[in-house]
C-alpha cells in the first residue's frame, strides 16, 4: 500500500515508522490504562507527556510550523490506530490537529501561524474550536455570537456550547457574526481568543454519556476585546468557509476513528466468542454468533476501504464534499452497529462496566452526532448530488 501522495511531507518509510510507534503506544501503553482513564475521567499526565513527545499534538500540522506534516491519507491510518483505544486519547490532541488547528493552517495569516502553530504542534497550546451555540448546532450559519468593531479592536459577546477541550484550552478559535447574512455571505468571521482574555468564562465540564477523560464545556464571551490581528486571515469573510473546510476534513478523520473502534469491538468479540462457553461449547461455535461476527468484520472492512478512498480524494482534491460525508455517515453508523453486536455477543457480560465493549458502546454514540449528525451528512450527500445534476 502506498501511503504517500504528491502532497506528502513524510515519505512512506518514515510514515511506516510513525505508524508502528503509534500502534505500539496505543496498544501497550494506553489500552492497559483504559479503566483508569474511565474511572478518573482524565488522561494521566505521563500519557499526555508521552503523546507530546511523540509529536501527536501536531501530526497534521505542516513541518514548517513544527508539526509532523502528515497529510490526510496518512492521518487516517493513524486515526484507525487511535480508535483502537478509549476515544479520550484522540480527543486530547484532536482539536489541535483537526478542527481548530486546521483553521489556522488553511486560513491564518503568516503572522498568526508564527504566533500559534508551533505551540499547538508541540502541545504547549491546547486549541478549541468554538462554533456550536444553543440553537446553532446543525445549522451554524444561524449563530448569534457577535463581534463588533471598536477602533482597532473587536469586541466579542456570545455563548458557545459543548466545546471540546474548553476546560484545558489556551486558545479558542471563535466563530462570530460581524454582520447579518447578506448576498455576500453568511457574515461569519473567526477570531483567535486566548483563554485568559478578560470576559472569557469557561463553565464547569459537562457530564457526558461516555468518552470519560475527554472534556467539553460551555464557554461565555462577555464583551471580550481582542486586537484586529486576532481576526483569522485578516478578513471578515473567512469564518464560515474555514468552519466548513475544517469540518469536512474532520469527517474523514472521524470516519477513520470509527473504523478503529469497530475493529477493537470486533477483536474483543472474536476473543470472547472463542473462549466463553455455554453448555461446555465455546459460543463462537454457534452459527448465529458467527453470523454476528461476520457482519462486524464486513462492516469494518468496508469502512476501512471507504476511509482510505475518501482520504485520497481529499488529498488529490477530487472530492472534498460528498466523499467526507459518505465516509462519516457509513463508518459512524457502522461503528454503532458493530458495538451493539459486540455487546450482544458478550451476553450479560457485555452490559457490565469494566468490559471494553460496554465502554465502546457508549463512546461511539457521539460519533454520529458531532461534526455533523448523520442527518446532516445525508443532506450534504443527497443535496449535493441533486444540485450537481441540476447544474448539468
Ligand atoms: C461531546 C461533544 C463534543 C462536541 N465538541 C464540539 C466542539 O469542539 N466544537 C463545536 O463547535 N461543537 C462541538 N459539539 C457540538 C456538535 O457539533 C453538535 O452537538 C452537533 O452538530 C449537533 O448540533 P445540536 O446539538 O445543536 O443538535 P440539533 O442540530 O438541534 O439536532 C437535533 C436533531 O435534529 C436533526 N436536525 C437538525 N437540523 C436538521 C435538518 N436541517 N434536517 C434534518 N434533521 C435535522 C439532527 O440531525 C438531530 O437529529 C460537540 C458536541 C458534543 C456532544
Amino acid at each position: 500500500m502506498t501511503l504517500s501522495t504528491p502532497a506528502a511531507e513524510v515519505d512512506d518509510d518514515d510514515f511506516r515508522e510513525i505508524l508502528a510507534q503509534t500502534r505500539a503506544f496505543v496498544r501497550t501503553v494506553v489500552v492497559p490504562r483504559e479503566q483508569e482513564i474511565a474511572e478518573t475521567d482524565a488522561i494521566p499526565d505521563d500519557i499526555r507527556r508521552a503523546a507530546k513527545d511523540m509529536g501527536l499534538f501536531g501530526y497534521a500540522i505542516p513541518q514548517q510550523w513544527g508539526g509532523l506534516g502528515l497529510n490526510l491519507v496518512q492521518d487516517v491510518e493513524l486515526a484507525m490506530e487511535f480508535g483502537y483505544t478509549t476515544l479520550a486519547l484522540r480527543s486530547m490532541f484532536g482539536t489541535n490537529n483537526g478542527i481548530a488547528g486546521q483553521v489556522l493552517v488553511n486560513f491564518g495569516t503568516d503572522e498568526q501561524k508564527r504566533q500559534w502553530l508551533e505551540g499547538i504542534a508541540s502541545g504547549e497550546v491546547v486549541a478549541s474550536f468554538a462554533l456550536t451555540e444553543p440553537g446553532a448546532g446543525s445549522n451554524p450559519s444561524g449563530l448569534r455570537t457577535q463581534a463588533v468593531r471598536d477602533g482597532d479592536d473587536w469586541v466579542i459577546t456570545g455563548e458557545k456550547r459543548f466545546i471540546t477541550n474548553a476546560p484545558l484550552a489556551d486558545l479558542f478559535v471563535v466563530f462570530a457574526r460581524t454582520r447579518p447574512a447578506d448576498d455576500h455571505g453568511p457574515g461569519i468571521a473567526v477570531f483567535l481568543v486566548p483563554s485568559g482574555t478578560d470576559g472569557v468564562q469557561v463553565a464547569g465540564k459537562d457530564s457526558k454519556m461516555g468518552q470519560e477523560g475527554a472534556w467539553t464545556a460551555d464557554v461565555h464571551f462577555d464583551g471580550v476585546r481582542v486586537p484586529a490581528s486576532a481576526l483569522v486571515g485578516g478578513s471578515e469573510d473567512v469564518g464560515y468557509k474555514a468552519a466548513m473546510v475544517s469540518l469536512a476534513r474532520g469527517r474523514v478523520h472521524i470516519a477513520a476513528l470509527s473504523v478503529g473502534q469497530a475493529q477493537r469491538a470486533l477483536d474483543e468479540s472474536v476473543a470472547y466468542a472463542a473462549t466463553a462457553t455455554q453448555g461446555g461449547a465455546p459460543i463462537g461455535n454457534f452459527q448465529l454468533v458467527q453470523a454476528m461476527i461476520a457482519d462486524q468484520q464486513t462492516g469494518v472492512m468496508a469502512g476501512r476501504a471507504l476511509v482510505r478512498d475518501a482520504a485520497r480524494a481529499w488529498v488529490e482534491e477530487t472530492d472534498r464534499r460528498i466523499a467526507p460525508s459518505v465516509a462519516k455517515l457509513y463508518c459512524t453508523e457502522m461503528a454503532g452497529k458493530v458495538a451493539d453486536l459486540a455487546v450482544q455477543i458478550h451476553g450479560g457480560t457485555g452490559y457490565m462496566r469494566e468490559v471494553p465493549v460496554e465502554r465502546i458502546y457508549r463512546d461511539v454514540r457521539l460519533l454520529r452526532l458531532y461534526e455533523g449528525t448523520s442527518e446532516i451528512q445525508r443532506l450534504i450527500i443527497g443535496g449535493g448530488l441533486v444540485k450537481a445534476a441540476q447544474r448539468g
Side-chain angles (χ1 to χ4, degrees):
M1 180 184 39
T2 304
L3 298 169
S4 63
T5 63
E9 292 189 287
V10 177
D11 67 24
D12 277 1
D13 287 343
D14 287 347
F15 181 64
R16 263 183 248 284
E17 183 60 29
I18 292 169
L19 194 59
Q21 281 177 12
T22 303
R23 188 182 177 94
F25 173 62
V26 165
R27 295 185 186 221
T28 63
V29 177
V30 188
V31 166
R33 309 277 294 275
E34 287 171 345
Q35 198 54 33
E36 174 190 346
I37 293 168
E39 280 166 9
T40 57
D41 188 20
I43 300 284
D45 285 345
D46 61 313
I47 291 185
R48 179 176 292 271
R49 267 197 309 277
K52 269 188 188 174
D53 292 346
M54 290 172 69
L56 295 182
F57 280 79
Y59 61 80
I61 307 291
Q63 291 177 355
Q64 181 190 0
W65 308 107
L68 296 185
L70 303 188
N71 67 16
L72 194 57
V73 167
Q74 297 163 333
D75 175 321
V76 296
E77 298 297 325
L78 229 55
M80 288 191 270
E81 297 299 333
F82 299 142
Y84 204 74
T85 185
T86 165
L87 293 182
L89 175 77
R90 196 284 321 192
S91 188
M92 172 171 66
F93 41 70
T95 50
N96 277 28
N97 286 292
I99 46 181
Q102 293 299 317
V103 168
L104 264 163
V105 168
N106 294 312
F107 296 93
T109 61
D110 277 354
E111 191 197 327
Q112 289 166 339
K113 291 180 188 179
R114 255 194 306 277
Q115 186 181 356
W116 289 108
L117 278 179
E118 210 167 299
I120 287 175
S122 70
E124 288 309 305
V125 170
V126 172
S128 273
F129 177 87
L131 177 67
T132 302
E133 301 177 2
S138 292
N139 182 5
S141 67
L143 65 80
R144 291 192 299 268
T145 294
Q146 281 215 328
V148 177
R149 190 85 203 217
D150 183 25
D152 282 346
D153 297 339
W154 289 94
V155 179
I156 303 172
T157 302
E159 192 185 335
K160 299 290 178 179
R161 178 186 260 187
F162 307 145
I163 305 306
T164 298
N165 287 330
L168 302 167
D170 303 288
L171 176 69
F172 288 107
V173 175
V174 185
F175 295 82
R177 180 172 297 294
T178 58
R179 61 167 198 273
D182 57 24
D183 290 347
H184 302 291
I188 292 170
V190 54
F191 296 88
L192 302 169
V193 182
S195 59
T197 313
D198 281 350
V200 177
Q201 284 168 8
V202 179
K205 65 180 171 156
D206 297 320
S207 180
K208 310 194 300 331
M209 175 191 287
Q211 298 206 10
E212 293 92 354
W215 297 347
T216 63
D218 288 1
V219 187
H220 301 271
F221 298 88
D222 186 9
V224 175
R225 185 172 285 275
V226 290
S229 59
L231 177 65
V232 173
S235 161
E236 286 177 49
D237 290 314
V238 154
Y240 195 68
K241 181 159 191 227
M244 293 304 112
V245 170
S246 265
L247 287 169
R249 185 187 181 287
R251 284 169 188 148
V252 187
H253 173 87
I254 296 290
L257 203 62
S258 308
V259 171
Q261 280 274 276
Q263 180 72 62
R264 175 70 185 283
L266 165 65
D267 290 354
E268 294 286 339
S269 301
V270 173
Y272 186 81
T275 52
T277 59
Q278 280 299 314
I283 59 161
N285 288 7
F286 303 134
Q287 288 181 330
L288 290 179
V289 173
Q290 291 172 6
M292 289 193 271
I293 290 171
D295 287 351
Q296 290 178 313
Q297 170 76 4
T298 305
V300 169
M301 285 187 71
R304 187 179 297 120
L306 184 47
V307 159
R308 287 177 172 158
D309 206 33
R312 188 156 288 277
W314 180 275
V315 170
E316 291 171 353
E317 298 187 40
T318 51
D319 185 352
R320 291 189 162 193
R321 186 161 170 80
I322 304 286
S325 287
V326 170
K328 183 177 188 276
L329 174 62
Y330 179 82
C331 293
T332 60
E333 295 280 338
M334 177 276 292
K337 288 192 190 102
V338 168
D340 187 68
L341 287 170
V343 172
Q344 197 67 17
I345 290 167
H346 281 69
T349 304
Y351 198 66
M352 298 296 144
R353 288 281 152 106
E354 297 168 28
V355 176
V357 297
E358 183 273 341
R359 188 193 67 246
I360 292 170
Y361 180 80
R362 288 181 291 113
D363 285 0
V364 297
R365 191 63 189 82
L366 178 59
L367 302 172
R368 287 189 262 164
L369 298 171
Y370 65 3
E371 303 203 17
T373 63
S374 290
E375 290 69 42
I376 296 305
Q377 307 313 326
R378 287 189 170 95
L379 292 177
I380 293 170
I381 300 161
L385 291 176
V386 171
K387 262 191 215 127
Q390 286 167 343
R391 278 198 302 267

